[in-house]
Amino acid sequence: MLTPAQIHDLPKVELHLHIEGTLEPELILQLAERNGIRLPWADIDELRQQYEFTDLQSFLNLYYANMAVLQTEEDFADLTRAYLRRAQAAGVRHAEIFMDPQAHTVRGVSLSTCMNGVAAALAESEAEFGISSALIVTFLRDRPVAEALTMMQDLIDMRAPIAGIGLDSAEVGHPPIDFVEVFSLARERGLRCVAHAGEEGPPEYVWQALELLQVSRIDHGIRSLEDDALVEHLVTHQIPLTVCPFSNVRLRVIDTLADHPLPAMLARGLAVTVNSDDPAYFGGYLDDNFIALTRTLGFGAGELATLARNAVRASFLKADAQAPLLAQIEDWLTAQV
Ligand code: ADE
Ligand code: ZN
């Protein structure tokens, strides 16, 4: 079985990571103290006891509540640097990072505060941590579409340093079709488009994300397996799915990691990638997900290299930046046998 050191050395790309989902309990307490915010928890142990989820919404409730400690540009930069430091230790070489600006503006933190803080840390990422990055603004599908449209225009007006947009938050009852106008505005401006679909929602939402929002990747997408025609479409067009194994278990999308459909997805030829989603909430970072796949699903070097290759190809990196990573993955694979 591959060791954690071998897994560290595999060049990894993270494509589904919510920066707010990297807010660790220790940092929550530190920022609460720095900003004079009273938390509802007596201590870190009581806070940690909240991390038992029954579904997506039960997680989102805690995820949004904990963001109250993020107040200043410095807070957002510290959060982002803490993630990048941990990602470096995981052997992540490129990260495309989601941020949920509406989760901050609705509580009185300005768009420029969250954007500038995260962007400042990402601007130093390559030099400081050896990780290239892209920022993706995600719209909250359970908030009014008009709010997303206004924010999209604000992002354009401020020339926000973003590579693309996405769609997240509570999925069921909030279909992609509602956000057609937002996504077409983004596409007109040359932004890349992705969307969470088929996490808790039906395959129909995956079809809508593809056909109406014209996304180039689907985040999660595991419920696509319920629709054979959809699987065939995803395979034929090699549309990447950013699968998040730990997240799926902790949000009870699947029962246990041993039941995860990832091996079946690979066997069917889907362009799957493995990602950490909200690692501070779901029990581990990208390396932890990969280690668990070797231990629980018996993945070897061949499967991990396929996942790593798929992620490079699914990234927004240009071909000349993908090529050295792909070559390093082949070198890694050769060294394992
Ligand atoms: N926001 C943060 N994590 C999410 C997830 N797994 N699904 C939908 N929205 C999210
Ligand atoms: Zn997500």
Side-chain angles (χ1 to χ4, degrees), residues 16-18 56 59 63 98 138 167-169 196 199 219-220 242 244 247 251 276-278 282:
H16 185 154
L17 182 282
H18 302 262
L56 175 56
F59 152 71
Y63 169 79
F98 297 138
T138 30
L167 189 64
D168 64 356
S169 204
H196 283 54
E199 179 186 18
D219 295 314
H220 293 293
T242 63
C244 306
S247 167
L251 299 187
S276 65
D277 205 4
D278 302 284
F282 300 150

Side-chain angles (χ1 to χ4, degrees), residues 303-316:
E303 285 94 352
L304 296 197
T306 298
L307 293 168
R309 252 184 241 118
N310 287 351
V312 173
R313 294 191 181 120
S315 75
F316 299 159

Side-chain angles (χ1 to χ4, degrees), residues 135-191:
L135 182 57
I136 300 170
V137 158
T138 30
F139 292 103
L140 305 185
R141 66 203 309 157
D142 51 353
R143 299 215 33 100
V145 177
E147 188 179 287
L149 257 180
T150 304
M151 178 160 290
M152 186 68 247
Q153 194 56 56
D154 290 346
L155 289 160
I156 292 168
D157 294 346
M158 72 193 275
R159 296 172 187 278
I162 58 174
I165 68 162
L167 189 64
D168 64 356
S169 204
E171 185 181 8
V172 174
H174 302 286
I177 192 172
D178 295 347
F179 291 84
V180 164
E181 211 181 327
V182 180
F183 276 68
S184 87
L185 184 53
R187 275 200 320 279
E188 273 169 28
R189 299 297 169 140
L191 293 168

